[in-house]
Amino acid sequence: MQVMIKEIIVVEGKSDTAAIKRAVEAETIETGGSAINNAVYEKIRLAQERRGVIIFTDPDHAGERLRRLIAERVPGCKQAFLSREEATLKGDIGIENATPEMIRKALSNLKTDYELSESQIAWEDLMEAGLIVHPQAALRREVMGKLLGIGYANGKQFFKRCRMFQISRAEFEKALELFHKEGYE
């Protein structure tokens, strides 16, 4: 029996909807790619008001841009993330390439988009962890984003996500410890 998701999942296209439906029982709103229009924003706003929304876009530049635009226009959405590795098949990055197990895992590890508040994690913490201003910063953020369940982002967006999702210092340090144990240096 498939897991049923109460919230409506926002995806980019038809193939993403098909992948979601292979993994869970859920309804989706398709944005039609990154060129989202006001009618789609209105559907997402209404869905958020009535049932809640989970933003689940591709872990690429266009998908991250779309995620940011939706989160800005429709506050309070939950967000699901896949790593690039989990969503890549033959060089193509997208939700449609993920296994049903990976999709269920991402949907079980939702992050809530809280209003920005003072975070326990400071910009200096990211510098010390080598997540910014480091030759391997992008790779390190990709791994840490996976460990924290917040996906890949550039340095500024990674910091913003840590604040938005209220990643605690304890969560951050636990992920960093695992990062070092796994041999990422």
Side-chain angles (χ1 to χ4, degrees):
M1 186 171 131
Q2 278 194 330
V3 174
M4 187 171 165
I5 305 291
K6 175 191 130 220
E7 297 89 349
I8 296 174
I9 302 173
V10 176
V11 295
E12 293 177 59
K14 290 181 189 331
S15 54
D16 297 329
T17 291
I20 296 292
K21 290 188 184 283
R22 283 192 298 271
V24 296
E25 190 176 321
E27 292 181 70
T28 63
I29 293 174
E30 296 167 4
T31 65
S34 59
I36 189 168
N37 64 39
N38 285 332
V40 174
Y41 279 123
E42 186 54 30
K43 278 171 71 175
I44 296 169
R45 188 198 61 71
L46 185 61
Q48 172 64 359
E49 196 176 282
R50 305 262 170 118
R51 290 181 43 195
V53 163
I54 299 170
I55 302 171
F56 200 5
T57 57
D58 296 344
D60 59 9
H61 179 74
E64 291 304 319
R65 178 183 170 277
L66 183 59
R67 177 186 300 277
R68 190 176 65 250
L69 291 172
I70 294 168
E72 286 172 3
R73 294 270 298 257
V74 185
C77 294
K78 294 177 182 175
Q79 299 195 35
F81 296 91
L82 284 173
S83 70
R84 289 175 186 221
E85 176 187 302
E86 294 166 331
T88 300
L89 182 65
K90 296 179 183 171
D92 179 49
I93 298 175
I95 301 297
E96 72 274 9
N97 299 320
T99 65
E101 293 78 27
M102 286 289 132
I103 290 171
R104 283 191 291 272
K105 181 181 169 200
L107 289 169
S108 71
N109 189 26
L110 296 173
K111 301 296 179 188
T112 303
D113 184 4
Y114 293 101
E115 287 294 316
L116 289 180
S117 63
E118 280 305 307
S119 174
Q120 295 178 344
I121 297 170
W123 185 255
E124 291 75 26
D125 295 323
L126 299 185
M127 287 181 73
E128 286 176 25
L131 301 177
I132 51 176
V133 194
H134 184 280
Q136 298 294 317
L139 177 62
R140 295 168 75 93
R141 281 192 310 275
E142 184 172 356
V143 173
M144 282 293 286
K146 186 175 182 180
L147 293 172
L148 291 167
I150 62 173
Y152 173 78
N154 67 30
K156 188 176 175 183
Q157 286 300 313
F158 191 91
F159 180 62
K160 186 176 180 180
R161 283 186 189 170
C162 285
R163 292 180 57 169
M164 248 187 352
F165 300 126
Q166 298 182 341
I167 302 296
S168 69
R169 181 172 295 282
E171 282 178 278
F172 186 80
E173 288 174 359
K174 183 178 175 187
L176 196 55
E177 186 178 312
L178 190 56
F179 176 90
H180 292 300
K181 275 186 186 171
E182 298 284 323
Y184 295 105
E185 286 303 324

